[in-house]
Amino acid sequence: MTTNQLFALFSDLALLLVLAHLLGALARRFSQPAVIGEVLAGILLGPTLLGHEVSDFLFPSDIRPMLTALADVGMAVFMFIVGLELDRKILRGTGRLAATVSVSSILLPFGLGALLALLLAEDHAPDHRLGFVLFMGTAMSVTAFPVLARILTDREMQHTPVGGLALACAAIGDVLAWCMLAAVVALAGGGGAGPWYLLLLVPYTGVMLWVVRPLLRRLLAAGAGTARLSPAALTAVLAGLLVSGAVTEKIGLHFIFGAFFFGVVMPKESTERLRADITDRIGEVSSHLLLPVFFISVGLKVDLSDLGRSGWLDFGLILLVAVSGKFLGAFLSARAHGVTARQSAVLATLMNTRGLTELIILTAGLQLGVLDERLFSLMVAMAVVTTAMAGPLLSLFQPRPLADHPLVPAARDAQPPAARH
């Protein structure tokens, strides 16, 4: 790297981090997730507001691949933490209600998204039209589990029946969504690997479950009496998640699946303190450096400056399908199980939160060539709007204090044990 490139990279990183922090804090003051402000920071620095000339001057073309590389590492670390924090106990005790609501809140938006893709295919579809249709259906089906959990915590809803039910539904939905996306990526050709490479997914899964997981269990057992991992153990975990991501990228899936699966196979039994230590130590670097770079790198790719009438019409259709499909799928399913209309509306609103998970899926779609830049911009705008809607809608559907709301008998059995106390 030249001196000028290093100067531009370090200056840009400083600008990105400060602006992301300021707008993230501003978003929180308005009861919005920080991700809203951080993505908006990227959009403000991008061509939508400043135009291509100013944006290209601030972020030269030879610097952007470096920012993208940092953003990719941030995605990998985040997906590892999502897999690490995925508690299978939540999935075991959910019952028919959570399973039905979760599946309904995926199937309806998936079907509507696929139909919308057929409408948009003429203007936006790449060569692999089937992959585009399936990807759009998957992208419409996503609920952001981490953002949803943060909203519940901020509003002190995590221990309520509807909050526990929403967490369970989102956890199931996350697993289903990643499986669907993996199938779409494989169908669309992945990263350019030969189709036979996907056969390596079988031995990869076997090695992860029957070799890597026992080694991780032994590694964590060595530090079971303490609350912190040794430097060597932490290095092994970091190296493992990167290698796992590299393997899935090489065999034709996106690297996010390898990072996520490495987090899933981490032993969960009697390792709570060590897993919390991993999350805290890795999460600090991720949340304060890598993820802000990811959010802003996403925003920099968004260009809404020249949509025209047809572009805004496409955005209106995308937003209508995204909101109605997810909301109606969750609301009608909950009502069919006897949940009250108010609590069903709260649940449906929470399931409409897309946030960071949607941005990761959209970025993967752009990198794989399934989405063009124009449709990517519209989908990112949809993700921001649907996430920002959650707070105001929750205040509308639940204006009274939580203590005034009756418990939902149908949801009580669907709660994870920890949410009942």
Side-chain angles (χ1 to χ4, degrees):
M1 292 180 64
T2 66
T3 299
N4 288 338
Q5 287 177 320
L6 283 172
F7 174 80
L9 177 62
F10 289 171
S11 300
D12 285 345
L13 283 175
L15 174 63
L16 295 179
L17 295 180
V18 171
L19 190 59
H21 174 76
L22 292 177
L23 290 186
L26 182 63
R28 285 192 293 268
R29 286 185 63 87
F30 287 92
S31 301
Q32 293 290 340
V35 60
I36 298 295
E38 291 166 340
V39 175
L40 287 178
I43 294 176
L44 292 176
L45 292 172
T48 297
L49 183 66
L50 300 180
H52 286 280
E53 291 185 2
V54 177
S55 182
D56 291 344
F57 173 77
L58 291 174
F59 302 95
S61 58
D62 57 345
I63 298 301
R64 294 199 182 203
M66 304 174 196
L67 295 177
T68 300
L70 284 174
D72 286 344
V73 175
M75 274 199 292
V77 173
F78 175 79
M79 290 307 302
F80 163 73
I81 292 175
V82 171
L84 182 66
E85 294 183 338
L86 184 62
D87 191 348
R88 290 187 294 274
K89 293 178 182 178
I90 293 179
L91 303 183
R92 289 194 199 110
T94 54
R96 286 191 307 167
L97 175 57
T100 303
V101 171
S102 181
V103 171
S104 299
S105 67
I106 286 178
L107 289 181
L108 183 57
F110 181 90
L112 293 177
L115 290 175
L116 177 63
L118 293 174
L119 182 63
L120 299 176
E122 184 175 346
D123 296 327
H124 298 284
D127 295 335
H128 205 299
R129 181 164 296 203
L130 178 59
F132 171 71
V133 171
L134 296 178
F135 180 88
M136 285 293 291
T138 302
M140 291 295 184
S141 308
V142 171
T143 295
F145 181 85
V147 175
L148 183 148
R150 182 58 185 267
I151 290 174
L152 292 175
T153 301
D154 290 344
R155 299 179 71 91
E156 299 182 352
M157 294 175 61
Q158 70 271 30
H159 297 310
T160 64
V162 71
L165 176 60
L167 281 174
C169 292
I172 296 173
D174 255 16
V175 174
L176 294 176
W178 293 122
C179 291
M180 290 161 55
L181 182 61
V184 172
V185 171
L187 184 65
W196 66 270
Y197 268 49
L198 287 173
L199 297 176
L200 297 176
L201 186 60
V202 176
Y204 160 78
T205 304
V207 169
M208 290 292 288
L209 292 176
W210 295 308
V211 178
V212 174
R213 190 174 187 190
L215 290 175
L216 289 171
R217 184 178 288 111
R218 187 178 305 172
L219 181 69
L220 295 183
T226 66
R228 290 180 69 84
L229 280 181
S230 67
L234 185 60
T235 299
V237 170
L238 285 170
L241 81 90
L242 293 174
V243 169
S244 182
V247 170
T248 54
E249 180 74 25
K250 183 65 175 178
I251 65 178
L253 293 177
H254 202 276
F255 66 84
I256 58 176
F257 297 106
F260 174 73
F261 193 49
F262 190 80
V264 170
V265 301
M266 288 283 290
K268 306 295 194 295
E269 298 79 12
S270 304
T271 60
E272 290 81 3
R273 290 195 300 171
L274 291 178
R275 285 190 289 115
D277 179 49
I278 295 173
T279 302
D280 290 342
R281 293 164 72 179
I282 298 178
E284 281 292 313
V285 177
S286 178
S287 62
H288 292 290
L289 175 63
L290 299 177
L291 281 182
V293 173
F294 168 70
F295 292 137
I296 292 186
S297 69
V298 169
L300 287 173
K301 297 182 181 75
V302 173
D303 186 3
L304 303 173
S305 60
D306 189 28
L307 287 183
R309 182 177 179 181
S310 62
W312 286 110
L313 178 61
D314 288 347
F315 177 67
L317 291 173
I318 289 170
L319 193 60
L320 176 63
V321 167
V323 174
S324 63
K326 201 73 175 172
F327 190 94
L328 289 176
F331 180 85
L332 295 176
S333 181
R335 288 292 291 147
H337 280 78
V339 180
T340 66
R342 183 184 294 273
Q343 297 284 31
S344 296
V346 170
L347 176 62
T349 299
L350 290 168
M351 296 301 290
N352 232 320
T353 304
R354 286 174 171 85
L356 178 54
T357 306
E358 178 79 0
L359 297 179
I360 289 176
I361 287 179
L362 295 178
T363 301
L366 182 65
Q367 292 174 344
L368 294 168
V370 180
L371 291 180
D372 60 24
E373 292 186 358
R374 185 183 180 90
L375 189 54
F376 173 81
S377 298
L378 296 177
M379 293 292 286
V380 169
M382 176 274 292
V384 172
V385 171
T386 54
T387 304
M389 286 169 49
L393 286 178
L394 287 174
S395 298
L396 174 66
F397 294 133
Q398 200 171 54
R400 294 179 292 163
L402 288 174
D404 293 341
H405 286 266
L407 294 176
V408 182
R412 183 181 293 274
D413 294 334
Q415 285 183 268
R420 296 180 188 171
H421 300 287

